[in-house]
Structures are given as structure tokens and as C-alpha cells.
Amino acid sequence: MGLGKQSKILTKKQIETMLLYLGSTRHPLRNRVIFLLSVKSGFRSKEISGVKWSMMVSPTGELGESIHLTNDVSKGKSGGRIIPIHKELKKLLVELYEVEQSRYGLDVQTSYVVRTERSPNTSSQSIINMFQIWYRDLGFVGCSSHSGRRTFITDLSKKVSLVGGSLRDIQVMVGHKNLQTTQRYIEVDTDCQRKMVNLI
């Protein structure tokens, strides 16, 4: 993936602006979950469309602390992984889970997290189209459905050393086969580079 072809990452302000904007859409709760699955879990559009409640609900019927993404939903044979659920995302998932249970009487084993009014699930292309519309409406130039994933990986790379982790932990969490792929996703921080140079 060439430098010029990568989707732009999102700033904290842009993330806040998007969540505010999505609150005014026709399906605010569902749409915010879609967005946070991208920016707080690093999900690809295919994974957002394919994730089921069974991947995050415990045997007792409660929402767990992580999403157990299976290989068939992810990319390739080794794409399956376990992703801790961000607290902001979990709050929305709990709310959506309750709404879906009361509205559709969902079957936890087979029901998808993201559905439409007319269908029990949605396609990867539909998720891509949603992101295109949202970013266009907000004037976020250069952003796509992959921007959330790049943002997630870049943000993790800045924090991983604080908890004693490494890029290898991020690689496993996002389902990359090799570390070089993960490194290509990380946005270079020019401001940080300037500060580092001035330290020597």
C-alpha cells in the first residue's frame, strides 16, 4: 500500500464530530456502533457486516468484555482474533443489544449486530457506502471505511509501550499476518519527530 493511497486517519476532534453527526441520522445507535467498531476495534467493513452477537455474548446471555471474531468473518484463514471491547463501544452495544432483543426477539447464535430495516444483516459494500456518505457529509477529505482501522492501529502504537506491550500485540489484535503490514498502517507523527530531533 503506497503512502499516497492510504486512507487518512481521524483526529480526536473528527471522531467526536462524527459521533455527534451520527446522533442525528435515522439509525443513530446502530450507526454509532458501526463507526466505533471501525475506530475503537479496528474492524474492516467485511468484519463489521459479519460480526454476530454470539461472538460477544456470554453463555449466560450477557455482553462480554471482548469480541471473538472468527476466521470466516475476517480476512483469510488467520484473520480470526479476540479484541477487547472499548468502554465507549460496550455502552452502545449493551443498548443496541437490548433494543434488538425487544424489537426482533433475536437469536443470539445467528443474529448479526448490524442489520437494516428490511434485512437481518448487511453487506460489506453497504458499510463502505455508509462511510463514504458520512465522510462526504462532514467534508472529511481523504477518509474512507479504512480510516477507522488506520486510526485504531496508529493510536494503539502510541500507547502500547505505556502498558508494557509491543507492536506484536497490535499485529495480533488487528489480524495481520506479518508485522510489516501493521507498521505500514501507522501514521507518522511529524510533530513528534520534530520534538525527538530537538532532544538530541
Side-chain angles (χ1 to χ4, degrees):
M1 186 183 295
L3 184 63
K5 296 181 180 179
Q6 295 193 82
S7 299
K8 290 185 178 178
I9 67 166
L10 302 166
T11 64
K12 184 178 180 181
K13 180 65 177 175
Q14 285 177 316
I15 292 172
E16 291 171 353
T17 300
M18 177 63 80
L19 289 170
L20 188 64
Y21 160 81
L22 293 176
S24 65
T25 58
R26 185 171 180 178
H27 302 285
L29 182 56
R30 183 205 65 183
N31 292 344
R32 281 173 167 166
V33 165
I34 289 172
F35 179 65
L36 289 185
L37 281 171
S38 173
V39 82
K40 296 297 184 183
S41 295
F43 278 23
R44 304 172 176 97
S45 56
K46 178 180 186 288
E47 295 166 345
I48 294 172
S49 66
V51 67
K52 296 181 179 179
W53 290 109
S54 60
M55 298 175 189
M56 62 184 82
V57 173
S58 70
T60 57
E62 298 176 339
L63 200 71
E65 298 300 321
S66 58
I67 302 173
H68 295 247
L69 202 64
T70 55
N71 287 340
D72 60 307
V73 172
S74 190
K75 188 178 180 181
K77 296 180 180 178
S78 60
R81 57 199 190 273
I82 299 173
I83 307 98
I85 302 175
H86 186 277
K87 59 185 177 182
E88 191 176 355
L89 173 58
K90 183 168 182 178
K91 182 180 177 182
L92 294 179
L93 282 170
V94 168
E95 191 177 341
L96 182 61
Y97 185 48
E98 291 173 354
V99 170
E100 292 288 294
Q101 283 181 309
S102 62
R103 184 179 299 170
Y104 301 106
L106 60 84
D107 178 348
V108 173
Q109 293 302 316
T110 60
S111 296
Y112 291 86
V113 173
V114 179
R115 59 169 294 134
T116 66
E117 290 180 348
R118 298 188 179 123
S119 174
N121 64 334
T122 188
S123 67
S124 174
Q125 188 59 52
S126 293
I127 299 295
I128 291 171
N129 294 344
M130 285 181 196
F131 276 107
Q132 286 179 339
I133 292 169
W134 298 341
Y135 289 132
R136 182 196 65 203
D137 287 352
L138 291 175
F140 291 177
V141 179
C143 294
S144 74
S145 59
H146 229 54
S147 290
R149 182 167 168 82
R150 282 204 70 214
T151 302
F152 178 72
I153 294 172
T154 298
D155 287 349
L156 286 182
S157 72
K158 294 177 180 179
K159 306 290 186 183
V160 68
S161 63
L162 299 177
V163 294
S166 69
L167 284 180
R168 169 64 179 156
D169 295 299
I170 300 174
Q171 176 197 343
V172 171
M173 203 184 307
V174 299
H176 285 154
K177 289 183 179 179
N178 59 69
L179 195 57
Q180 289 73 27
T181 303
T182 306
Q183 290 172 321
R184 285 201 300 270
Y185 271 73
I186 298 170
E187 182 81 359
V188 173
D189 189 333
T190 53
D191 186 49
C192 178
Q193 289 176 339
R194 280 193 296 270
K195 289 177 182 177
M196 285 192 295
V197 168
N198 287 326
L199 287 175
I200 60 174

